[in-house]
Amino acid sequence: LTAIVLALLLIFSCNNLLVLGSGGTLIVSVPGGRYASDATIYTIDLNGTSGAIYSKTISAGQTAAFEELVPDTYTILVKGSNEKDIVVYYGSSTATVEEGKTSSAMVELMDLLGKLSVEFSGATNGKNFSIDLKGASGLQYTKTVLAGEPAQFERLMPDIYTIDVHGTNANNAVLYHGIDTATVEMGKKTSATVDLVVEATDFAGLKEGIESG
């Protein structure tokens, strides 16, 4: 009888250890659509109130499953990076993990990139306009548009940009030039108008510039 009682105590003791050590599970997902196309890698960090830290990296469109977590309330931090390893999306949320249960959380993301529309004034005979953006952090972007068209930069890192514009005539000689600056903010659209002046680089361009005033 004593042996049976000891055996039962041992079995129940082992079962309790298994239950106590099983922890909980948390499934973390992020929105799809354009978020999946603009960001290729997502880093998901969990920070518990007790100091426990967990981290996973997933590809766009996947979900992160954290298993055997210490029961706690966790802060979820998500960073979405593009192919250049630049963080373009960020989001945070909280979730409570209970012993032996599965919880789920959807983290809404915030767009960290901005937009810039560049227009020109003072150019009458230009044909093509080359727009170079250089951020204070060193990032550079370039676009070429036809006369009368604004240059639309859609996915810019927030920064202060120097806008350098060159306008060429039908013979590809530089005829106009202008410089300005613009501040691109997170998730916002900014516009700038660059005042151009005549800057002829050859005789034909000089003549055309004189004729245009």
Side-chain angles (χ1 to χ4, degrees), residues 24-27 98 100-104:
T25 299
L26 176 62
I27 308 297
E98 299 181 46
K101 295 183 179 181
T102 298
S103 304
S104 61

Side-chain angles (χ1 to χ4, degrees), residues 17-204:
L17 287 174
L18 289 173
V19 171
L20 291 174
S22 62
T25 299
L26 176 62
I27 308 297
V28 179
S29 57
V30 296
R34 67 188 180 92
Y35 295 99
S37 60
D38 291 338
T40 57
I41 295 294
Y42 289 92
T43 300
I44 302 173
D45 296 323
L46 302 184
N47 297 289
T49 58
S50 62
I53 299 175
Y54 304 89
S55 182
K56 278 185 179 291
T57 299
I58 61 174
S59 299
Q62 296 181 337
T63 57
F66 294 86
E67 300 176 328
E68 299 184 2
L69 296 177
V70 176
D72 199 352
T73 298
Y74 290 90
T75 298
I76 310 169
L77 302 177
V78 179
K79 297 177 183 178
S81 303
N82 61 16
E83 67 280 356
K84 296 180 180 179
D85 201 28
I86 296 174
V87 177
V88 294
Y89 293 112
Y90 175 84
S92 64
S93 186
T94 59
T96 299
V97 175
E98 299 181 46
E99 185 73 38
K101 295 183 179 181
T102 298
S103 304
S104 61
M106 167 70 80
V107 180
E108 295 296 332
L109 300 178
M110 178 170 53
D111 194 343
L112 297 183
L113 302 183
K115 300 178 181 180
L116 176 62
S117 176
V118 180
E119 298 182 348
F120 325 102
S121 66
T124 56
N125 296 331
K127 180 182 179 183
N128 296 305
F129 293 87
S130 175
I131 305 94
D132 296 317
L133 301 185
K134 186 173 183 179
S137 61
L139 291 172
Q140 298 187 45
Y141 305 87
T142 299
K143 272 186 180 294
T144 299
V145 297
L146 296 175
E149 295 181 0
Q152 306 287 356
F153 295 87
E154 298 290 333
R155 309 292 298 163
L156 297 178
M157 288 295 297
D159 204 344
I160 298 176
Y161 289 91
T162 297
I163 310 170
D164 195 347
V165 181
H166 289 87
T168 60
N169 59 16
N171 298 318
N172 292 321
V174 175
L175 184 60
Y176 297 100
H177 182 226
I179 296 179
D180 205 341
T181 60
T183 300
V184 175
E185 299 182 57
M186 180 177 64
K188 295 182 179 181
K189 183 175 181 178
T190 305
S191 61
T193 300
V194 181
D195 294 323
L196 302 180
V197 296
V198 174
E199 185 183 80
T201 56
D202 61 7
F203 181 76

